[in-house]
Every structure is written in structure tokens, then in C-alpha cells.
Amino acid sequence: MRLSRYFLPVLKENPSEAQIVSHRLMLRAGMIKQAAAGIYSWLPLGFKVLRKLENIVHEEQARAGHIAIQMPILQSADLWRESGRYDDYGQEMLRMQDRHGRDMLYTPTAEELVTDIFRGHVSSYKDLPLTLYQIQWKFRDEIRPRFGVMRGREFYMKDGYNFDLTKEDALHAYNRHLVSYLRTYERMGLQAIPMRADSGPIGGDYTHEFLVLADTGESEVFYDSAVTDLTFGDREIDYDSREQCQAILEEFTSKYARTDETHDEALFDQIPENRRRVARGIEVGQIFYFGTQYSEALGATVQGPDGKPVPVHMGSHGIGVSRLIGAIIEASHDDKGIIWPEGVTPFHCGIVNLKQGDEEADAACDKLYSALTALGLEPLYDDRNERAGGKFATMDLIGLPWRITVGPRGLKNGVVELTSRRTGESEELSPEAAVTKIAEIYEGIA
């Protein structure tokens, strides 16, 4: 993409309404624009990152054997009355009527709807296990939407639902989701710690939240610092292996890590004092096992091996895809702007032409652009007639991990400058070597 043809409405000043870093930088970098309180339009740069995160989630869900569907944004209130949640959910649910006076609601979550799909099509235990998921817009009418996409009213979310014959099978699905989520977050450049949490309006006895540590987090968290040394890495997992999935759950949840709702001071005091940590965290996902709570209420049964009807055991599993963008920025920025991890960057590198209109510089930039594009990479070429300082400021603000700077002086010596956004370190390379290095950096990133 050439910046002269792109829609990137960056702001020089900090917006007065933005209270936290991610909200401020997303507005300044031209990623979003507020349409109403807690509701945003996603502009090209923000939409591009949103799609990157969505693709990672889809890939990891497919790896775990989960099947994508798409459910409607509007639901009938009848299903929620059937489950008993319509009146209990509270004022966060946006209720409405259609022209025929039928009660409808804008989806805050979809346990009822997916259970209705299941009960209409699955009748035998031989069709289990089954996990269905979607990535869809949701709406919760927050009383005080704030912090941009971190606590908006409309949000983009992956929500998955497992259906299993027994509790043991459903807990394996729970463990499988935990493993897939660990992989998902690490691919996004995040360390998301699974913490014992409260189930809230979803219900259930087993639940973990995934939290990213950040000063602006809305949750107070208590944890053993040893959990921050754990990484999933590139290990291969057989998702059908109960032993492997259980072992990973134990590895990542055996150390103390809890949100304030489930914090146990007595257990916390048993941790060596030098490892006790109290911090703030941003919730970016949650997994639940809630047994037969919904299947019994909605009549989601299968014929068991003995021919008798059995209510299925269920769980739900969510990742806040749009919220993740704010979490990544909160965890990865400096005073100049965003610093995207390579796995989620909207463009793989930036090309800055220091002397637009110079025949040699223009030709060198065009050649770099073509070479990177031919390798399947997406560069953002700043070909505007702007001063160099303004171009550098824009690249720093939008946070591309790598920048290639091209100018007449360097070209006389046969070199361009390759700069790391994260470290600020630069090196002079031939244009061909710069392209090769960028390609090598991204080669190992799935």
C-alpha cells in the first residue's frame, strides 16, 4: 500500500476524551472513530489489525478441532425466557421489539441460540463430542462505556460452545480450549495468564479468565511471579490427548493466580514473599464449564449408549477480539506510539522515502516495494511529499515493527537504513539485504 492512496487520518494532538494509552493511540493512529458512546467505526488500519487477530483465532480453533458457524446478531427473547435468563441478565441486555411486537434482543452472548441449534440437529451420543464457535459482534449496554475498545458497548468476540456426553468429556474440552488460547495469545505477542475467576451471569463451577498485566487493567489480580516465566512456545500438542491437555492446564494453573473476586488471602500468604505480586490486569478471554445448566433448561438431550435420553454437558469459551487490540497496545507502546508485535502488525514494514521526487530515491523505493510484495509481504510505502520528520513521526505512531529508510546520501553508498521500532536500533544494508532480512524475520511467524 502506498500511503498517498491510503486512508490514514492520524491526529497530532491527544484527544481529550481518551483516558488510557490504547484509546488515545488508536484515535491518533486513525484506527477507530467514535460513532456513539462505546460504539466505534473501524477505519482501515484498525480493521486490518482486527482481521489479523480474527485469522489467528480461526487458525487456532481449527487446529483444536473446533467448527466455525455464524449466528445472528438479533435473537428472539423466547429462547432466553426458556432458559430463565431473560429477566435475570439485567440492564446490560439491549431489548427491543420488531414491527409485529415480538420481543427481541441484541446478542450479549449466545448459549441459548447455539443450544437451540444443537437440539434441533443432534440426537445421538455418536455425534459427540462437538464444539461450535463463531466470531461475531455483540452488544452489552455498559452503564459507563469508557477506555475505547477496552470497555465499549459493541464489541467483536469469539464465542465457542462444547457439547459432550459426560462431565469428563466436557472437562477435556475445557482443557483443550485453555491450550488453544495459550497458543493464540502467544502468537499475538501477548502473555495472557489464566487466572481462577468468577463465573458471573454465564454460570458454572469451572472458569478461568485470561489476563494481560497492565497498569490500566480494570481487574486487581494476585499472582505468584513464577507464572510469568511460563511460555507455551512451539510445542506440538495432540488435542485429542487428555493427558497432554491436562498436563498443560496443570502447568499453567498450578501456581497461584486469581482475580479479586476469587482471591484467597490465606493461600496467597503461602507463596514466598519475594514472589507475591499484586497488579492490574486486562481480561482478554474466559473459559467456562457449566454442565447441564442450559441443556436441561432447553431440552438439549441425546440418546445415550443405553438408549435413554441424556442432557449434554456444556461449556462456553470467549476471546474478546476487538478488546485484544487495546490490550496489545497497552502492553506494547512507548511515548512515540504503538509498537506492534510482528504477528499482528497491519503492515510488515514501512518504507520511508526521504526525498520524494528524486529519481534515484523513487526508483529504489519502488524496487523495494515490488520485491517485498513479490515475497508475499505487505509494505506501507510513505510516498507523500512530506518532510522527513513528519514521515518518521507517522511511522512511529502507527507502530510498524520495521522501517526501511531510503535517501540519496545512502544510495550513493549503495545502502538503505533498516530500523527496529521496538529497540530503535538501525543498520545500513544493501536494499537486497534489507529485503532478505525482513523476509527472514517473518518466515517463522505463522
Side-chain angles (χ1 to χ4, degrees), residues 222-228 255-257 268 271-272 275-277:
F222 303 80
Y223 64 97
D224 181 339
S225 64
V227 301
T228 59
K255 300 284 191 296
Y256 190 92
F268 190 59
I271 303 168
R275 294 195 340 231
R276 287 181 219 152
R277 299 287 188 274

Side-chain angles (χ1 to χ4, degrees), residues 17-84:
E17 71 271 24
Q19 297 174 289
I20 62 171
V21 168
S22 58
H23 190 193
R24 183 163 64 246
L25 290 178
M26 289 183 76
L27 289 170
R28 285 197 58 211
M31 296 179 68
I32 57 173
K33 184 181 187 303
Q34 182 170 304
I39 301 174
Y40 293 89
S41 295
W42 289 79
L43 306 184
L45 192 73
F47 186 65
K48 197 169 178 61
V49 179
L50 192 68
R51 283 287 174 259
K52 288 249 180 155
L53 299 186
E54 180 183 2
N55 288 338
I56 291 173
V57 173
H58 276 305
E59 288 165 8
E60 292 304 328
Q61 288 299 296
R63 192 194 298 265
H66 306 157
I67 303 167
I69 62 173
Q70 189 80 88
M71 292 180 279
I73 296 173
L74 294 181
Q75 296 187 34
S76 167
D78 292 343
L79 277 174
W80 286 68
R81 291 193 176 104
E82 196 176 342
S83 72

Side-chain angles (χ1 to χ4, degrees), residues 218-234:
E218 60 187 354
S219 300
E220 188 174 31
V221 296
F222 303 80
Y223 64 97
D224 181 339
S225 64
V227 301
T228 59
D229 297 328
L230 298 173
T231 57
F232 191 87
D234 57 1

Side-chain angles (χ1 to χ4, degrees), residues 252-273:
F252 280 84
T253 63
S254 59
K255 300 284 191 296
Y256 190 92
R258 297 194 179 197
T259 59
D260 49 3
E261 295 100 332
T262 60
H263 175 55
D264 186 319
E265 196 67 37
L267 289 176
F268 190 59
D269 288 343
Q270 294 176 21
I271 303 168
E273 188 174 356

Side-chain angles (χ1 to χ4, degrees), residues 146-165:
R146 59 191 188 277
F147 304 154
V149 301
M150 296 288 288
R151 192 162 184 175
R153 293 193 293 165
E154 186 181 61
F155 53 95
Y156 203 46
M157 180 180 173
K158 173 262 165 179
D159 48 317
Y161 307 90
N162 66 282
F163 302 88
D164 291 278
L165 184 63

Side-chain angles (χ1 to χ4, degrees), residues 135-151:
I135 302 179
Q136 176 63 291
W137 291 101
K138 307 286 192 303
F139 188 92
R140 293 177 189 166
D141 202 4
E142 294 276 355
I143 189 169
R144 288 196 313 276
R146 59 191 188 277
F147 304 154
V149 301
M150 296 288 288
R151 192 162 184 175

